[in-house]
Amino acid sequence: MESNKMRAITASLLAGTALTVAAPVVAQDSVEDDNDNVIIVTAQKRSQNLQDVPIAITALGTEALDELQINEVRDIAKFLPSVTVQTSGPGFTQVYFRAVASGENANHSASLPTVGIYLDEMPITTIQGALDIHAYDLARVEALAGPQGTLYGASSMAGTIKMVTNAPDYKASYGAADFELNSVNRGDFGGVAEGFYNALISDTAALRLVAWYRRDGGFIDNIPGSRTYASSGITQNNAALVEDDYNDVDTYGARLALGIELNDSWTLRPTIMGQIQNADGSFAQERSSAVTRSLQTVQYNPESSKDKWLQAALTIEGKIGNWDLVATGGQLWRRTETESDYSDYAYFYDALAGYGNYFYDNNDDLVNPNQYIQANDKYRRSFGEIRISSPQEASLRFIGGVFAQRQTHDITQNYIIDGIADSLTVPGTESNIWLTAQTRIDRDYAAFGELSYDVTDKLTLTGGARLYNYKNSLVGFFGFSAGYSSGTGVAACFGPAVVAGSPCTNIDKVTSDTDAIYKLNATYKINPDVLVYATWSQGFRPGGVNRRGTLPPYLPDTLDNYELGWKTRFGDVTFNGAVFQEDWNNIQLSFLGANGLTEIRNAGVARIRGIESDFTYRADGLTLSLSGSYNDATIRRDFCRIANPAFDCTLNPGDGRINALLAPAGTQLPVTAKFKGNAVARYEFALGGWDGHVQGAASYIGRRRSDLRTAENAIKGDFDPYTTVDLSIGVKKDNLRFELFATNLFDERGVINSGVQCVETVCGDPTGISNTGGAFYDVVTRPRIIGLKAGFDF
C-alpha cells in the first residue's frame, strides 16, 4: 500500500531545423563587451562564457525568467526542450533530461532521481521531488543536459539544473518591488508580492534581503458525490468537502545573503533561505464520466500539503598562490505534511472481494471502510565540498576536489480507517490499518578531478574522473497489525522498535558500493565564434534496498553519453546544437508488486538517440529564439517481471513465481515525447518616452507513453500532444514598469501526469463508475491566466 495518488498522479510552431543547447538570454551578471549577448555560466564550476563551454547547456537569466512568466521549476521546464517534468502538485515534481525516465513512481523507499538540482553550490534534490523554489531574484538558471557525473556526482546521471541566486553587490544600495494580480480561467484570483534590497555595509561588505508571497488561484472543483460499499451497504458522501476552485496555493519565503571581502583574495558568503508552501485540494481532474467533466473531481476526504524548508549555506572563495580554492557546505531541512483521499482504493477493493467485511469495530459491527492517508516526511541533508582550480589562462588546467553528503529521510505514513477494532489497528496508532514508519539514509562520498590541455591554440583535450562510494540504508516498520495479516507488518517483525512511533522493526537493510566514472572531451575552435566538440561522459545513480525481504538490493544504473556538439555565432545570429547517443544500463525499474509494495529491479537496457539545437537572432530591438529536441528512446531488451541474465521472460525463477513479459524490446520509454520545442519572439520599441515591448512564446510537447509496461500503458493511455501560447505587452520608464500578460492563452488541457486508484486485477474501466473499474486522474496544465504586473526600483 503506497501513497501513489498524491505523489505519483503526481501544432508545432517550430520548423524542422529549429531543433536545445543555449537560448542566449542576457543574465543580470552577464559580462558587457562589444557584443552584449554574452552569458557567464558556472556549469564547469568556473566562470566562463557560455559559448566557450563544450556542454549542451541552456541558460535563462534574470530578465528572461521574468519575461517568460516563470515562477517555479515546472515553468522553467516549459522552455527547456531537453527537460520533461511530472508532477502531482506543489512540492512533488520529478525532473527528467533527454528521455532518461522509466516511469518510476517516486516512492519514498525507491530509487533516487536521475537529475540533480542545485541551489547555488548546494545539491537540494530530495527523493520525492524538487523543491518548488519561487523564481525571484535569480541571476540565472543553468540546465546541463547529459551526464554531469564527474563534477556533480550522484543523481546527476541524466543532467543537472542549477539555480544561481543574485549575490550581494558591493557597489551600491538599491532595491526593487514587484506586484502581480491575476485571474485563472474557470478558477480563482491569484497574485504575487515580491521584493529585494541590496544594502551596502561598507566597501567590502553587502547584505541582500529577498522576500516573496505568491497565491495561486485554484481551478479544480470538488463536486458532490456519494458511493455505497457493496459488501456492507454503507453509503458515504462528500457534502462537507464540496468546493469550487479548491486547490489554491499560498507560497511565501525569504532569502538573506551576506557578502564579505576579507581581503583582495578571500571572500565569505553565508546565505540562509526558507520557504513555506500551503496547498489545498487535489491538482488532478478526474477523467470525464457520467459524473465529472473537465477540471472536476469527486473526493471524499480532505486533501492538502504543507511543504516547509530551510537552507543554510556558506561558501568561502580564495587564492592559494595563483590557484583558486572554493570551500562550500550547507544544511537543508525539509518537512512535508500531506493529507490524501484513498477511498477509491477501498471502494474498488470492496467491490472486488467484499473487502469491507473485514473492517469492524470492537463490537463486531461493520464500519465504513473509507480510507485516507496522513503523512509526515522529514528530510535533513548535509553537504560539503572543497575544490581547487589552476589558473584558467594556463595551457594545462586542473580542477578537482572532494565531496560528501548525507541525506536522512524520516518517513511516517498513516493509512487510516476510522473506528476499526483494536485487533485490526496497528499497535501504537489510533486507527491505522497500515503504518509506514521508517528512516532512510543516503550517503555519498567522492573525489573528482578534470584535467584540460591546450594542444594548440585551437584544440583542447579534457579528461575527468570521479571515484565514489555510496552507502544507503533503510530501517523501521511497514505493514498491518498481526490481527489483520499473519504474514506481513507486525507478524514479520524481528526486533524491537528502532524508529519512533513504530510498534517493532521488520526492515533493516544496508547496501553500498565503490566505483568510478569517467569523461573525455575534445574541443576545437575553428575561429573565435565557432566551436565544435566531442564528448564521452558517464553518469550513475546509487543503488538501494528493496523493502520486500525476498528481494535483494538493487544496483546502480549507469548512463554512457556519446555526444557531438557545436556552438556558433555569426553576427546577430547564434546557432548551437548537439547530436548524441546515450546507453542506459542496469535500469532501475520500479513497479507495484504484491500487497502494493514498490519493487525495484535492475531489469532494463535502453538506448536514446537524439538531436537538440537552438537558433537565436537579436538585432534592432527584435529577438527571435527557436529551440527543440528530438529523442528516440527505446528499451533494447525485453522487460521481464522477474529479471534474468538472458532477458528471457519465459524463464521462471524456480521458487514458484511466474515470469511474464511486461514490455517487449523496442518499446518507447515513457514520460518524454519524441519531439519538444519552443519559440519566443520579442520586440522592444520606443513609445512616447517609455520603452515598450510585446512578446509571444509557444511551447509544444508531443505524444508520450504514460507507462513503460504494455498492459498498464493500455489502461492509462498515451498522453496527447499539446501546445501552449503565452503573450505579454508592457512598458517601462526610469524606475517604473507595467505589463499585461496571458499564459496558456488558448486554454489547453495538456496532460502532465496521470494516475489511477483501483485494484490491479480490475483496473480496466477508465470511466471509474462501475464496481469493477477504477478512478483515473490527470494532472493537466494550468488553465489560461490573465494578469497585470507592476514594479518599481529604488
Side-chain angles (χ1 to χ4, degrees):
M1 298 176 65
E2 305 295 347
S3 178
N4 290 323
K5 181 177 162 191
M6 191 64 161
R7 293 174 166 81
I9 290 187
T10 19
S12 173
L13 297 179
L14 305 181
T17 57
L19 286 174
T20 209
V21 176
V25 182
V26 179
Q28 189 176 44
D29 60 349
S30 297
V31 173
E32 296 289 342
D33 61 7
D34 293 337
N35 188 326
D36 64 356
N37 197 21
V38 173
I39 304 176
I40 301 302
V41 296
T42 54
Q44 297 190 118
K45 301 202 172 183
R46 300 174 183 259
S47 295
Q48 296 174 283
N49 181 349
L50 183 146
Q51 290 297 110
D52 295 333
V53 180
I55 293 176
I57 174 175
T58 302
L60 299 174
T62 304
E63 293 181 2
L65 294 170
D66 181 61
E67 293 166 359
L68 295 170
Q69 318 303 331
I70 289 173
N71 287 319
E72 57 189 5
V73 170
R74 61 186 286 188
D75 298 330
I76 296 171
K78 188 165 69 170
F79 297 98
L80 302 176
S82 61
V83 176
T84 302
V85 298
Q86 279 195 312
T87 184
S88 58
F92 299 96
T93 298
Q94 298 294 320
V95 182
Y96 305 98
F97 268 93
R98 288 184 173 175
V100 181
S102 60
E104 56 268 16
N105 62 7
N107 176 262
H108 49 71
S109 303
S111 301
L112 289 164
T114 61
V115 172
I117 310 291
Y118 277 68
L119 178 59
D120 292 322
E121 294 280 352
M122 182 173 180
I124 56 171
T125 314
T126 59
I127 185 170
Q128 288 180 234
L131 296 183
D132 268 334
I133 297 174
H134 179 68
Y136 180 68
D137 197 47
L138 295 180
R140 63 189 176 275
V141 174
E142 301 175 15
L144 288 58
Q148 307 297 324
T150 51
L151 290 182
Y152 291 93
S155 290
S156 284
M157 180 177 78
T160 300
I161 292 179
K162 293 186 65 177
M163 289 177 277
V164 183
T165 61
N166 281 313
D169 186 351
Y170 306 110
K171 297 177 182 178
S173 294
Y174 57 90
D178 292 275
F179 304 92
E180 175 186 321
L181 180 65
N182 61 61
S183 176
V184 183
N185 185 46
R186 290 181 54 186
D188 207 349
F189 287 93
V192 179
E194 55 196 5
F196 78 88
Y197 183 67
N198 189 92
L200 185 64
I201 299 174
S202 70
D203 292 342
T204 59
L207 188 71
R208 196 175 188 96
L209 175 64
V210 187
W212 59 89
Y213 169 77
R214 186 177 89 238
R215 179 174 179 80
D216 297 318
F219 53 88
I220 300 290
D221 299 338
N222 192 24
I223 65 173
S226 66
R227 56 173 38 145
T228 300
Y229 289 91
S231 63
S232 62
I234 294 175
T235 298
Q236 70 174 141
N237 65 63
N238 67 343
L241 301 173
V242 170
E243 182 182 353
D244 289 342
D245 313 323
Y246 90 132
N247 62 322
D248 53 275
V249 185
D250 291 290
T251 303
Y252 51 96
R255 182 178 83 246
L256 181 64
L258 176 66
I260 303 174
E261 291 184 343
L262 301 176
N263 54 40
D264 292 340
S265 300
W266 291 87
T267 301
L268 187 71
R269 292 201 311 271
T271 303
I272 186 167
M273 183 174 180
Q275 180 175 282
I276 296 175
Q277 189 170 63
N278 296 321
D280 293 323
S282 166
F283 288 77
Q285 65 180 22
E286 211 159 330
R287 288 195 186 170
S288 296
S289 67
V291 179
T292 60
R293 58 185 179 88
S294 177
L295 302 182
Q296 290 185 340
T297 189
V298 182
Q299 299 300 295
Y300 291 86
N301 294 286
E303 296 209 308
S304 67
S305 68
K306 185 172 186 177
D307 187 356
K308 301 184 293 184
W309 58 266
L310 179 69
Q311 182 229 22
L314 174 65
T315 298
I316 302 172
E317 295 181 334
K319 284 187 174 291
I320 300 178
N322 62 352
W323 285 57
D324 294 323
L325 180 143
V326 176
T328 182
Q331 295 274 347
L332 173 68
W333 299 268
R334 184 184 188 190
R335 180 173 181 174
T336 61
E337 301 174 47
T338 60
E339 298 177 298
S340 304
D341 186 359
Y342 208 52
S343 63
D344 292 331
Y345 174 84
Y347 176 70
F348 291 113
Y349 205 104
D350 178 84
L352 172 71
Y355 183 61
N357 287 322
Y358 291 102
F359 299 123
Y360 46 85
D361 58 22
N362 287 329
N363 297 320
D364 291 331
D365 294 325
L366 292 178
V367 299
N368 185 349
N370 170 61
Q371 192 169 159
Y372 57 96
I373 306 167
Q374 294 179 346
N376 190 327
D377 291 88
K378 299 177 183 178
Y379 308 82
R380 179 169 179 171
R381 177 189 287 271
S382 305
F383 126 93
E385 178 176 299
I386 300 175
R387 64 178 183 271
I388 57 172
S389 56
S390 62
Q392 294 193 53
E393 62 272 11
S395 59
L396 182 65
R397 299 176 298 281
F398 173 78
I399 182 170
V402 292
F403 171 91
Q405 68 173 343
R406 172 190 171 104
Q407 177 173 282
T408 300
H409 182 185
D410 294 322
I411 308 159
T412 303
Q413 292 196 333
N414 301 287
Y415 290 71
I416 301 169
I417 300 177
D418 291 327
I420 56 175
D422 294 342
S423 61
L424 304 181
T425 302
V426 176
T429 69
E430 290 187 11
S431 199
N432 277 31
I433 189 63
W434 174 285
L435 171 68
T436 298
Q438 300 171 169
T439 295
R440 171 176 178 164
I441 303 177
D442 295 276
R443 311 163 185 86
D444 179 27
Y445 312 98
F448 62 90
E450 286 191 0
L451 188 66
S452 299
Y453 178 63
D454 296 333
V455 180
T456 70
D457 59 351
K458 294 180 178 293
L459 177 63
T460 300
L461 301 179
T462 300
R466 188 180 189 96
L467 176 67
Y468 66 84
N469 170 266
Y470 71 81
K471 180 180 180 181
N472 298 333
S473 61
L474 186 66
V475 62
F477 172 87
F478 65 97
F480 301 104
S481 69
Y484 185 79
S485 173
S486 60
T488 61
V490 173
C493 282
F494 50 76
V498 174
V499 176
S502 63
C504 51
T505 298
N506 60 11
I507 180 172
D508 189 357
K509 292 184 175 183
V510 180
T511 185
S512 63
D513 192 21
T514 299
D515 208 336
I517 54 175
Y518 304 95
K519 171 184 175 180
L520 295 174
N521 172 270
T523 301
Y524 188 76
K525 276 205 155 188
I526 298 173
N527 61 48
D529 295 321
V530 179
L531 171 152
V532 294
Y533 68 88
T535 297
W536 167 66
S537 58
Q538 292 182 306
F540 81 101
R541 176 170 52 168
V545 301
N546 276 294
R547 286 193 292 174
R548 192 180 301 283
T550 57
L551 295 179
Y554 54 93
L555 303 174
D557 50 358
T558 60
L559 195 70
D560 283 89
N561 175 56
Y562 309 89
E563 183 174 322
L564 296 174
W566 64 92
K567 298 198 170 182
T568 65
R569 175 176 292 139
F570 305 100
D572 299 324
V573 174
T574 302
F575 179 51
N576 298 335
V579 294
F580 58 87
Q581 174 177 300
E582 294 186 338
D583 292 332
W584 190 6
N585 295 301
N586 273 341
I587 301 175
Q588 296 173 9
L589 290 166
S590 62
F591 55 90
L592 294 181
N595 301 118
L597 284 181
T598 296
E599 300 180 3
I600 308 100
R601 297 196 175 109
N602 298 95
V605 177
R607 171 164 289 173
I608 304 159
R609 287 175 171 162
I611 181 171
E612 48 194 24
S613 181
D614 76 79
F615 168 90
T616 300
Y617 170 81
R618 183 193 299 269
D620 301 323
L622 177 64
T623 301
L624 299 175
S625 297
L626 299 173
S627 60
S629 65
Y630 176 85
N631 295 283
D632 183 15
T634 59
I635 58 173
R636 306 196 69 208
R637 304 285 181 86
D638 290 346
F639 172 31
C640 307
R641 179 179 296 279
I642 303 171
N644 57 73
F647 293 91
D648 185 349
C649 300
T650 65
L651 297 178
N652 297 321
D655 57 4
R657 292 179 294 159
I658 304 299
N659 211 341
L661 174 65
L662 300 183
T667 300
Q668 183 181 343
L669 291 175
V671 179
T672 300
K674 281 193 172 184
F675 179 75
K676 180 186 178 187
N678 62 69
V680 180
R682 182 179 179 87
Y683 183 60
E684 299 176 345
F685 51 91
L687 184 66
W690 292 68
D691 296 323
H693 71 264
V694 59
Q695 177 172 296
S699 180
Y700 170 84
I701 185 167
R703 184 176 299 275
R704 296 139 289 147
R705 289 178 66 92
S706 61
D707 201 290
L708 176 64
R709 298 163 295 175
T710 303
E712 283 73 8
N713 190 74
I715 291 169
K716 291 196 293 183
D718 287 345
F719 299 154
D720 290 333
Y722 66 90
T723 301
T724 58
V725 175
D726 306 334
L727 290 178
S728 62
I729 182 170
V731 294
K732 63 180 180 180
K733 181 179 181 180
D734 299 328
N735 65 332
L736 297 176
R737 53 190 169 273
F738 301 93
E739 184 177 64
L740 178 67
F741 71 90
T743 59
N744 193 8
L745 183 65
F746 300 112
D747 209 25
E748 280 276 342
R749 295 285 183 271
V751 176
I752 301 171
N753 199 3
S754 183
V756 57
Q757 277 196 28
C758 62
V759 182
E760 302 94 298
T761 56
V762 293
C763 230
D765 179 8
T767 65
I769 58 174
S770 77
N771 285 353
T772 58
F776 291 73
Y777 297 90
D778 294 322
V779 179
V780 297
T781 54
R782 291 189 187 95
R784 178 175 57 247
I785 297 176
I786 297 177
L788 178 66
K789 289 182 173 182
F792 63 93
D793 301 327
F794 57 89

